[in-house]
Amino acid sequence: MNYSYVARQPILDKNRETVGYELLFRDGPNNTFPEVEAEYATSRLLTDHMLTTHYKTLDGKLGFVNFPYQSIVKQIPTLFPNDSLIVEILEGCEPTDELFEAVKKLSVQGYKLALDDFIPKPEWKRFLPYISIIKFDIRQIPLEKAAVFIQKLQGSKIRFIAEKVETYQEFSQAKNAGFDWFQGYFFSKPEMMKNSAISPLYITVSQMLQEVSSNPVDFGKLERIITADVSLSYKLLKYVNNVTHLANEIKSFHQALVYLGEEQLRRFISLLAIANTNTGKPSSLYALSVQRAFFCEELCIKHLPNIEVGQAFIMGMFSLLDSILDQPLEDLLNTIAIDNDVYKALLCNQGTLGKLLALTKAYEKADWSCVMSLSEELGISGHTLSRSYADAVAWSESVLAVR
């Protein structure tokens, strides 16, 4: 079993109540920061914890995550919900025009931004209207100097955090200086947390799957996700060349989006989600997942106009996820923001989607009495079932050829 690690250090208010945690990447059980690039550390922290187990990691509190310059400029924080994420702008970031525009965009979209280890400089003044939190390292900035700055911004919406508070006296002095929240060894050293690791690629393609299942599709967000991974970009172009037979014309991700369109993109991403989860599994499991997705989609298109085609496809695709990943289906579905109707269909066979999945499984088992009962209830003819099933088998065989 592979594990992912994160250290979290609490951030407390004046009454010593925890308001959030700063999340710190670790690549093993030793509670020390590894010698890796900041961009890599942030990426791993987000995929390992903010996407998979962040509710457990944060206990419903705010999550403070360090974002290096390029991650902010590329708007990587927008791939995550804005309700619990605090975007910490690392102290090494230069206050450029490019960073300023990126910060404004994040603020407009409802993200709370923090200046980490802040050292007051005139160049940062224009950023302040878009900043929610400022963190002062009281080992670098004397409390007296911090107090003057806090006093100047009194009445603003900005909260101030005193970092590296190590004694009760420093805690008391920081409160008197005007700080709202506090962090440091006086309260707690970073606490190590270990979780079962889920493949970052699986998490990434699950994000992409959510995007292409939304209406309307945010192609800008999709582009940011896929271009962050060279292997995904390659797989996309390979898939486009295979299904469009325009190998000499596809030269960019933008062109690939145009050629594929929403429906083909959804199929491609769903395929990736299954085909790259665990290469040790029999190919028959992948084939059956793809086959079910296409079968459910076809039946939905032809006979169930009140059901979104995307929901039917995703339901079929993820119906074998527990077998592929060797984890309980409920735990896996809770790691992604899957549609509630799909969730209920997969776990409880509820609703029209649940009946459609039950019909699919009955057809695969040749349980004809169950097939007849469910198809009659759903208004699907026997001819449609047989034709759609044959098409699904053929389609799954062709699409898996590009895996």
Side-chain angles (χ1 to χ4, degrees):
M1 173 73 74
N2 292 325
Y3 293 98
S4 60
Y5 299 85
V6 66
R8 67 176 193 179
Q9 187 172 34
I11 295 171
L12 303 96
D13 63 15
K14 293 178 181 179
N15 298 318
R16 301 196 208 181
E17 296 290 333
T18 301
V19 296
Y21 295 94
E22 180 167 6
L23 302 182
L24 308 164
F25 173 67
R26 301 291 186 258
D27 62 356
N30 296 325
N31 197 354
T32 56
F33 186 81
E35 294 182 4
V36 297
E37 293 290 333
E39 295 286 349
Y40 173 79
T42 296
S43 175
R44 281 290 307 278
L45 177 64
L46 291 169
T47 56
D48 286 357
H49 291 274
M50 287 304 289
L51 274 175
T52 57
T53 61
H54 89 276
Y55 292 108
K56 176 182 176 182
T57 303
L58 296 178
D59 293 330
K61 310 296 184 184
L62 297 173
F64 291 70
V65 177
N66 292 323
F67 283 88
Y69 185 93
Q70 286 300 324
S71 293
I72 296 173
V73 169
K74 292 178 181 178
Q75 299 286 287
I76 297 301
T78 62
L79 304 179
F80 305 89
N82 62 13
D83 55 349
S84 60
L85 175 64
I86 304 296
V87 179
E88 289 199 18
I89 303 171
L90 276 177
E91 64 274 14
C93 293
E94 292 294 327
T96 63
D97 291 342
E98 184 181 43
L99 183 68
F100 179 64
E101 293 302 321
V103 165
K104 282 202 299 184
K105 287 181 182 178
L106 289 170
S107 177
V108 167
Q109 295 179 71
Y111 289 87
K112 292 182 172 62
L113 295 105
L115 293 174
D116 188 30
D117 291 348
F118 182 64
I119 297 177
K121 293 179 181 178
E123 295 86 351
W124 286 106
K125 185 175 181 181
R126 60 174 173 165
F127 286 78
L128 297 183
Y130 307 100
I131 299 300
S132 299
I133 297 165
I134 291 177
K135 301 178 76 174
F136 280 108
D137 180 345
I138 65 171
R139 296 278 168 260
Q140 293 184 4
I141 302 294
L143 284 170
E144 296 79 7
K145 184 176 179 180
V148 171
F149 187 85
I150 293 171
Q151 183 63 33
K152 287 181 180 178
L153 292 180
Q154 191 173 28
S156 73
K157 62 180 179 64
I158 297 176
R159 292 181 181 272
F160 294 89
I161 297 178
E163 290 187 283
K164 297 187 179 176
V165 177
E166 296 184 0
T167 66
Y168 177 80
Q169 182 180 11
E170 289 175 349
F171 172 51
S172 179
Q173 290 173 342
K175 283 198 294 184
N176 292 334
F179 282 97
D180 304 286
W181 294 342
F182 311 87
Q183 179 181 359
Y185 282 9
F186 172 64
F187 308 101
S188 174
K189 293 183 179 181
E191 170 194 4
M192 283 292 293
M193 301 191 73
K194 180 177 75 171
N195 294 291
S196 299
I198 295 177
S199 162
L201 180 58
Y202 165 71
I203 298 168
T204 301
V205 294
S206 294
Q207 280 185 287
M208 294 166 66
L209 187 60
Q210 292 168 40
E211 287 306 316
V212 294
S213 299
S214 62
N215 186 22
V217 172
D218 187 337
F219 284 102
K221 186 176 288 188
L222 259 181
E223 184 172 5
R224 288 195 295 275
I225 296 171
I226 200 167
T227 55
D229 189 304
V230 174
S231 65
L232 279 181
S233 300
Y234 169 76
K235 288 176 184 288
L236 174 64
L237 295 182
K238 184 179 177 182
Y239 181 78
V240 174
N241 291 337
N242 181 277
V243 300
T244 63
H245 307 293
L246 294 169
N248 295 327
E249 297 184 30
I250 300 294
K251 298 178 181 179
S252 69
F253 177 70
H254 177 74
Q255 284 179 297
L257 286 176
V258 172
Y259 277 120
L260 282 184
E262 294 182 17
E263 290 305 306
Q264 284 283 15
L265 265 176
R266 180 161 47 77
R267 293 178 181 180
F268 161 73
I269 294 166
S270 300
L271 172 64
L272 277 180
I274 295 298
N276 292 281
T277 49
N278 189 335
T279 56
K281 289 293 179 178
S283 59
S284 58
L285 281 176
Y286 304 124
L288 185 56
S289 296
V290 174
Q291 180 181 300
R292 281 185 180 179
F294 187 87
F295 186 55
C296 291
E297 179 186 62
E298 284 292 289
L299 296 180
C300 185
I301 291 172
K302 294 174 180 176
H303 286 285
L304 301 171
N306 294 327
I307 299 295
E308 289 187 19
V309 173
Q311 291 180 328
F313 189 92
I314 293 168
M315 178 188 68
M317 182 62 73
F318 283 172
S319 62
L320 289 166
L321 205 55
D322 50 348
S323 299
I324 292 173
L325 285 173
D326 290 327
Q327 296 186 47
L329 185 58
E330 183 174 6
D331 292 351
L332 293 168
L333 295 181
N334 285 335
T335 67
I336 55 178
I338 199 165
D339 180 88
N340 192 48
D341 289 339
V342 176
Y343 183 91
K344 290 179 179 179
L346 286 168
L347 292 181
C348 313
N349 290 322
Q350 289 184 7
T352 304
L353 281 172
K355 293 175 183 176
L356 179 59
L357 182 58
L359 172 61
T360 301
K361 293 178 179 179
Y363 200 91
E364 292 168 356
K365 297 175 182 177
D367 183 351
W368 304 125
S369 61
C370 186
V371 168
M372 289 180 64
S373 174
L374 287 168
S375 60
E376 184 176 342
E377 188 174 353
L378 292 170
I380 300 174
S381 68
H383 173 75
T384 297
L385 282 173
S386 60
R387 182 69 265 169
S388 296
Y389 189 78
D391 289 344
V393 171
W395 188 79
S396 65
E397 289 176 351
S398 65
V399 80
L400 283 172
V402 302
R403 206 179 82 181

